[in-house]
Amino acid sequence: MIRATTNGVMKAYRVNLNKSTLRLNSARNTVLTERNFNSYAEDPSAAAEAFQLRRTFMTVSSQLSVSESVSRKFDTAYGAIDSVVSMVDNAAEGSAMKSIMAAINDTTGSGRNALGTELVQLAGSIVQSLNCKYGDQYIFSGADGLTLPFEWVGEGDDRKLLYRGIEVDAAAGSDALASLDYISQMESRYVDVGIGLTEDDNDQLIKSSAFDSVLQGIGVLNYGMTEVDGIEVPQNIASIVYRMGRILSKCDSETGEWADPADKDEFLALSKQFTESSSELKKYHVDMSTKANYLQNNQSVLENTAYTLNEQILAVEQCDLADAITSFSWAQYCYNAALKMGNSILSESLMDYMR
């Protein structure tokens, strides 16, 4: 009878001691991990909420990463276009327009020849500015970031400007112009920057729900030929500047007379088209500024969203460390008390058994 009672007491003690041990270990893990739960079973409701929050957080983090990269790319692009605009700006000293106006008014040979050299060099600088890179990708090469956007081939009057290997100053109806039309109008690379990224019923991307990260150099400098005062002239601003430079370089070095009477008419037609093309360039410049500002604002929104989501995740998953330490201390106290009680029970049970 005494042995049966002793066994019952010992069994109850072992059960209670195991519970105290489990509570102590759980409290210790909470303090060490600073988490309210470490498995779905511990708190199914909170775990489900945390899963949803973390999935949303991962999506926003991905969008933020893409947005940051695209924003830096567009900032770099804006800087490059800004430098080109300064080269053609009417008011800027040393600009193409200043040289053009000086050439029209200057009748001296040395003056026109020198201005011609300046314009030829300026055309090269314009192209060089748009051959810039972001990382290992050419910014203004459209969807083909590994190919050099612009390249001069040939010399003198036969020199031509190519965009991704295609002649820029292509006439209407030519294969080259058709290729450039396709590149400028059809090439795109849509990325998710948090706008929504939605597809229609035919699984086709709704373009307004994404951001097109492609930048076309020919969209900046223009391409093709047009007629001004009955004369065919290029629309690409670098080609215009280069052609004008070549015309001035051929002027008589002593008298400043045009090498050919038709050169003056072509120069004046080119100057008119220069004004038109530079105006288009400035519009593109403003558009780029709008896009760059949009990306910066969008990035700020994504950063705030990511911060808020992280705070929500911590609120669900992270424990109150002060409460956790208090609970651990209480669990430790209860465990120690259980051990002391065990010593007392074991001593009394042994004496009862010996009787």
Side-chain angles (χ1 to χ4, degrees), residues 26-72:
S26 176
R28 181 185 292 111
N29 287 335
T30 300
V31 172
L32 293 176
T33 63
E34 299 184 22
R35 290 177 56 86
N36 285 323
F37 55 89
N38 290 294
S39 69
Y40 182 83
E42 290 181 28
D43 193 337
S45 177
E49 182 181 359
F51 174 78
Q52 293 293 337
L53 288 170
R54 283 191 172 275
R55 185 170 66 175
T56 304
F57 181 79
M58 289 177 64
T59 300
V60 173
S61 296
S62 175
Q63 293 168 341
L64 180 58
S65 177
V66 172
S67 178
E68 288 174 344
S69 178
V70 175
S71 181
R72 292 193 187 101

